[in-house]
Amino acid sequence: VQLQASGGGLVQTGGSLRLSCSISGINLDEHVVGWFRQAPGKSREDVACISSRGSPRYADVAKGRFTISRDNAKNTVYLQMNSLKPEDTAVYDCKVRRSDIAICPYKPYDYWGQGTQVTVSS
């Protein structure tokens, strides 16, 4: 199983980015996928997840600003991030586990990607 997170970059406060998590080696429609982030000197923080049925779940930091979605045909999960703030600066990564649970959990997960850097300038 391989996960590749991409789409990060440098953006100004208030800007937007769309992250992609491309997943290979599994049948994605049987899996839940989560996005998380880690800023320097801080612990890992869950951002959002999406169930195998497409139901999203958001952490407080993401509610109202981020949208998670999935395209099983492309084996890809997206994270649309709007109204970005400097405190959103972090390495963002995706993770996956096999589950048909209705509400996706934030842990445990089986596989992770290598992350993509998001930097929001003030």
Side-chain angles (χ1 to χ4, degrees):
V1 180
Q2 290 188 328
L3 290 80
Q4 181 63 54
S6 62
L10 175 63
V11 64
Q12 292 184 334
T13 296
S16 299
L17 284 173
R18 187 195 195 201
L19 306 183
S20 298
C21 177
S22 179
I23 306 170
S24 60
I26 60 173
N27 187 358
L28 187 60
D29 60 10
E30 298 174 349
H31 292 72
V32 300
V33 181
W35 281 99
F36 62 98
R37 67 188 186 185
Q38 187 161 21
K42 295 186 177 181
S43 58
R44 188 174 295 178
E45 179 179 43
D46 288 294
V47 174
C49 61
I50 188 165
S51 74
S52 60
R53 307 173 194 180
S55 296
R57 179 184 179 190
Y58 299 98
D60 288 343
V61 294
K63 288 179 181 176
R65 299 189 299 130
F66 296 179
T67 302
I68 189 170
S69 62
R70 60 192 294 156
D71 186 338
N72 290 341
K74 296 182 178 180
N75 265 30
T76 302
V77 173
Y78 305 98
L79 185 68
Q80 176 68 43
M81 304 190 297
N82 299 327
S83 302
L84 285 163
K85 308 173 183 179
E87 50 265 43
D88 293 319
T89 295
V91 174
Y92 286 70
D93 199 3
C94 49
K95 54 186 179 179
V96 66
R97 64 171 277 188
R98 183 170 183 170
S99 175
D100 63 355
I101 192 170
I103 301 175
C104 54
Y106 287 132
K107 59 181 181 181
Y109 278 73
D110 299 320
Y111 302 98
W112 296 262
Q114 294 182 334
T116 184
Q117 176 70 46
V118 171
T119 303
V120 185
S121 62
S122 57

